[in-house]
Amino acid sequence: MSSLPLKDLVDQWVQLDPDPETRNEIQNLWQREDYEELEKRLRTRIEFGTAGLRGRMEAGWSRMNDLIIIQTSQGLAEYVLQHVENAQSRGLVIGHDHRHNSEHWANLTTQTFIAKGIKVYTLRGLNHTPMVPFSVKKLKAACGVMITASHNPKQDNGYKVYWENAVQIIGPHDAGISNAIQLNLTPQPLVNVHSITDLVADLTENLRRDYFDCLRALSSTKTLNPYVPVKFVNTSMHGVGDPFSKQAFEIFGFAPYIPVKEQQEADPEFPTVKFPNPEEKGALNLAIETADREGADYVLAQDPDADRFTAAEKDASGTWTLFTGDQLGSLFASQVFKSYKASGKPLDKLAMVASTVSSKMIESMARIEGFKFTECLTGFKFIGNTALNLVEQGYEVPFGYEEAIGFMFGTHIRDKDGVAATVSFAELVASLCTEGKTVKDHLQELHQRYGYFETRNSYFISNDQKVTDEIFTHIRHQDVSDLHGGDTYPTSLGSLKITRIVDLTTGYDSGNPPDYRPSLPLSSGHMIQIRAGDATQGASLVLTLRTSGTEPKIKYYLEGKGENPQIVGPLLSKAVTEIADNWIQCAKHGLRIA
């Protein structure tokens, strides 16, 4: 496609696009001679990867629109028929959120699959993303599709695919589906959903009831008094989460939370937030204002498709603490461990999973308490599959998380679930309240037992790939290290000696002799993890530097561990300065920390 004349790309689009609105969009751009915009829209195709598709809704091969949805569904259907046994009868599960075009694209996907003779289980109405993997597992379906762009801006939408194991797809399926799409680009006649009723089933009511039954089983405090004197405010960020979170509160026996009314209803325009991401600075301002007005102690928040969660707590002085994803992950891990230990099950059969860029506090917890901890690459496609692999080895895996406020609970959904996280956090608050403690108090107790951990995560904007490559080449060739015979990595970070380097781009792990191959899969972009420590200071650092697959960013994840904040804080500050000045060489390349 990239080598064709622009006029040919325009003609191809006009010929294939079944939607007159987006067809006219391209024609009007051509008539206006807006060749620059047409190049952006038509020169490259939106990439189908391990998270499916996600992008801006408008005409063009590089965007999200009817034609892309039809072509993707045709390719996915053919691939599933070839690679999943009894795919036609096992069927597809499809759900959608509230974004513009979500319901329409869910219908197009349904029509495409039934045209291939594949049964479709439709999730009626607005659903949160975890309902799709839950339903795939419950129904033993061949695959699942969720139409959502999660916490992206309102202009975006997406197409998320789950495999027959109810986990987001990984290689080689991503490449296989992508190839199948290329072989099925011509839209085939669609079938009216109502004309083939035996291929379309609506089990939404039963599946939701089963979901909440499984959610109820997660409760670790069966005899908890729900009438603790705690007020919660909840925001669903204009998304689909409020009805699910409200019902979850009811089945756990809690008094109703106070909703942020301005953000309670599903609204694809997201009128009160530019980026509907609970992690964004200022995203919880309305929720905190509501909590202050209502005299509430805690703010709970889900992102628009309710698969992610965060929380904030007000202390006695009226100051709010917004918990990080890593802090929440450690709190949840401790909560799950406590419940598992109380059950009397053998601790050596317990395992937990976290992404490699997440905090190492669970690693410390596992070492002290005697359970297994495993890390994996970033993304729940890897967390979910790692959990399934551990189950095959005889472990029970009741929890996994990534620092980007994604948390997996129980065994029924091997994906992040913001509703499960919401009631798990509320249960933790209520349990601590009966002991006269706050969540912040409990976090300090965990630090006393497992070490004080603090993170500093951010990124550098690098719009030039050559500059990015040069930066990582510089990091790998500083001519001061004998850790590896070829590349010469740095020997110190923030005054601490580097003790281990894992380069998931070149395939090198200094701590894994004799072949020095990393246990984690290689990364498609640049990714280096470095550990440094000093036993005499009782301090350590873990740094992960990686490029983003979707944005022009060099991300860094930096965590320090020590006895207290007075040791860790200055150590982190020194390391950040060193990374920016000496490793990234911001002055030389004209970059800065975001």
Side-chain angles (χ1 to χ4, degrees):
M1 182 181 292
S2 60
S3 62
L4 292 175
L6 183 59
K7 180 62 167 65
D8 289 354
L9 297 178
V10 171
D11 291 342
Q12 278 187 9
W13 182 268
V14 172
Q15 179 186 357
L16 293 177
D17 187 4
D19 181 1
E21 184 175 333
T22 47
R23 195 165 60 239
N24 290 338
E25 233 180 279
I26 295 299
Q27 289 175 317
N28 290 337
L29 287 170
W30 179 256
Q31 291 168 3
R32 295 203 309 264
E33 299 182 357
D34 193 343
Y35 303 135
E36 182 178 354
E37 182 64 19
L38 284 168
E39 285 286 346
K40 293 178 183 176
R41 303 274 197 100
L42 298 175
R43 182 58 62 188
T44 58
R45 183 180 185 86
I46 188 170
E47 184 178 353
F48 187 94
T50 50
L53 302 171
R54 194 181 296 185
R56 192 180 183 94
M57 292 179 281
E58 54 190 5
W61 304 114
S62 64
R63 304 296 196 256
M64 294 293 296
N65 45 67
D66 284 12
L67 180 55
I68 291 295
I69 293 296
I70 291 169
Q71 291 175 330
T72 301
S73 298
Q74 288 179 166
L76 176 62
E78 287 295 335
Y79 186 83
V80 168
L81 287 171
Q82 293 170 18
H83 291 87
V84 179
E85 189 175 356
N86 301 321
Q88 283 186 311
S89 59
R90 290 172 62 185
L92 161 82
V93 173
I94 182 162
H96 65 84
D97 66 7
H98 65 304
R99 287 179 180 264
H100 294 300
N101 291 313
S102 283
E103 183 176 6
H104 172 55
W105 288 347
N107 288 334
L108 285 181
T109 304
T110 298
Q111 290 176 276
T112 303
F113 269 75
I114 63 175
K116 301 282 187 181
I118 302 172
K119 189 176 184 66
V120 175
Y121 296 95
T122 60
L123 295 176
R124 184 180 65 254
L126 304 183
N127 288 276
H128 75 325
T129 291
M131 274 302 301
V132 170
F134 175 83
S135 302
V136 170
K137 180 174 181 177
K138 186 73 178 178
L139 299 171
K140 296 182 174 59
C143 70
V145 171
M146 176 69 185
I147 308 296
T148 179
S150 189
H151 52 276
N152 277 38
K154 68 179 182 179
Q155 298 88 354
D156 293 359
N157 211 331
Y159 186 105
K160 180 177 283 190
V161 179
Y162 293 85
W163 198 236
E164 62 174 326
N165 62 357
V167 179
Q168 294 176 47
I169 56 169
I170 57 173
H173 298 308
D174 54 342
I177 295 169
S178 184
N179 291 335
I181 293 170
Q182 293 291 342
L183 296 173
N184 292 273
L185 295 178
T186 301
Q188 301 301 304
L190 296 177
V191 178
N192 188 313
V193 173
H194 302 292
S195 66
I196 310 183
T197 54
D198 59 325
L199 285 182
V200 181
D202 177 2
L203 302 178
T204 307
E205 187 175 338
N206 291 340
L207 289 167
R208 286 190 181 176
R209 184 179 62 246
D210 291 343
Y211 168 79
F212 284 109
D213 285 344
C214 291
L215 198 65
R216 183 185 292 108
L218 292 177
S219 176
S220 59
T221 318
K222 307 297 183 185
T223 59
L224 178 68
N225 177 9
Y227 301 104
V228 290
V230 178
K231 280 187 178 181
F232 295 99
V233 160
N234 187 80
T235 175
S236 55
M237 302 296 293
H238 298 294
V240 301
D242 183 69
F244 289 90
S245 298
K246 187 182 297 180
Q247 188 169 345
F249 250 59
E250 291 175 2
I251 67 170
F252 267 61
F254 292 115
Y257 56 65
I258 301 164
V260 179
K261 292 192 178 298
E262 301 92 330
Q263 299 173 334
Q264 184 178 12
E265 300 298 324
D267 188 338
E269 288 296 308
F270 303 103
T272 68
V273 286
K274 185 176 181 181
F275 296 103
N277 181 352
E279 288 184 297
E280 289 285 336
K281 186 176 181 181
L284 297 185
N285 285 354
L286 269 177
I288 288 173
E289 289 173 14
T290 302
D292 283 335
R293 184 175 64 249
E294 298 288 342
D297 309 279
Y298 290 90
V299 162
L300 313 172
Q302 306 84 37
D303 70 341
D305 67 327
D307 65 349
R308 304 200 310 159
F309 165 82
T310 195
E313 176 184 74
K314 184 166 65 175
D315 63 22
S317 69
T319 302
W320 285 91
T321 296
L322 176 60
F323 296 108
T324 68
D326 281 323
Q327 289 172 332
L328 290 169
S330 299
L331 288 162
F332 286 140
S334 175
Q335 183 183 21
V336 169
F337 169 74
K338 181 179 178 181
S339 176
Y340 187 93
K341 185 177 181 180
S343 72
K345 298 177 182 177
L347 292 181
D348 61 356
K349 291 300 180 182
L350 169 65
M352 298 191 197
V353 183
S355 64
T356 189
V357 300
S358 299
S359 173
K360 306 307 175 190
M361 189 165 175
I362 301 184
E363 182 180 76
S364 176
M365 190 183 300
R367 185 172 59 251
I368 291 172
E369 304 295 358
F371 64 87
K372 184 177 180 63
F373 169 75
T374 299
E375 66 177 15
C376 60
L377 292 183
T378 304
F380 266 84
K381 54 186 174 286
F382 295 114
I383 292 172
N385 278 287
T386 299
L388 292 181
N389 291 339
L390 287 166
V391 170
E392 289 181 0
Q393 297 170 35
Y395 291 97
E396 187 171 345
V397 190
F399 181 69
Y401 94 100
E402 65 180 1
E403 52 79 35
I405 61 173
F407 311 99
M408 175 188 77
F409 295 88
T411 60
H412 296 283
I413 299 178
R414 295 304 184 183
D415 201 27
K416 51 189 180 290
D417 186 347
V419 175
T422 297
V423 286
S424 294
F425 184 84
E427 187 177 54
L428 175 63
V429 168
S431 177
L432 291 170
C433 183
T434 61
E435 302 175 27
K437 298 175 184 176
T438 66
V439 175
K440 198 171 180 181
D441 292 336
H442 183 52
L443 188 59
Q444 290 174 347
E445 291 176 342
L446 296 182
H447 284 153
Q448 290 171 2
R449 179 164 178 79
Y450 304 118
Y452 176 78
F453 291 79
E454 183 180 333
T455 55
R456 299 274 179 93
N457 300 339
S458 191
Y459 57 88
F460 305 88
I461 296 290
S462 177
N463 290 300
D464 190 333
Q465 185 60 45
K466 290 182 180 179
V467 170
T468 299
D469 292 340
E470 183 180 334
I471 287 169
F472 278 90
T473 297
H474 167 72
I475 293 170
R476 293 186 176 103
H477 297 86
Q478 293 198 18
D479 298 323
V480 292
S481 171
D482 61 359
L483 277 173
H484 185 31
D487 295 335
T488 50
Y489 300 90
T491 54
S492 65
L493 174 62
S495 75
L496 300 183
K497 181 181 178 181
I498 289 176
T499 57
R500 187 170 186 175
I501 293 174
V502 180
D503 192 329
L504 293 178
T505 306
T506 65
Y508 168 68
D509 182 349
S510 68
N512 196 23
D515 58 10
Y516 297 101
R517 293 179 181 175
S519 56
L520 293 174
L522 296 189
S523 172
S524 57
H526 292 290
M527 185 169 180
I528 302 174
Q529 185 173 92
I530 290 173
R531 295 194 182 219
D534 187 334
T536 61
Q537 295 185 41
S540 62
L541 290 169
V542 179
L543 167 69
T544 301
L545 283 165
R546 73 177 183 94
T547 50
S548 170
T550 57
E551 301 168 295
K553 294 178 179 179
I554 300 174
K555 296 184 176 183
Y556 72 82
Y557 306 80
L558 178 67
E559 181 176 51
K561 177 190 176 185
E563 293 181 359
N564 53 60
Q566 289 71 36
I567 293 175
V568 176
L571 185 62
L572 289 170
S573 297
K574 184 175 181 179
V576 169
T577 300
E578 185 177 339
I579 293 164
D581 293 348
N582 301 336
W583 296 32
I584 304 298
Q585 296 182 303
C586 287
K588 175 182 177 180
H589 299 295
L591 307 181
R592 61 180 179 83
I593 299 176

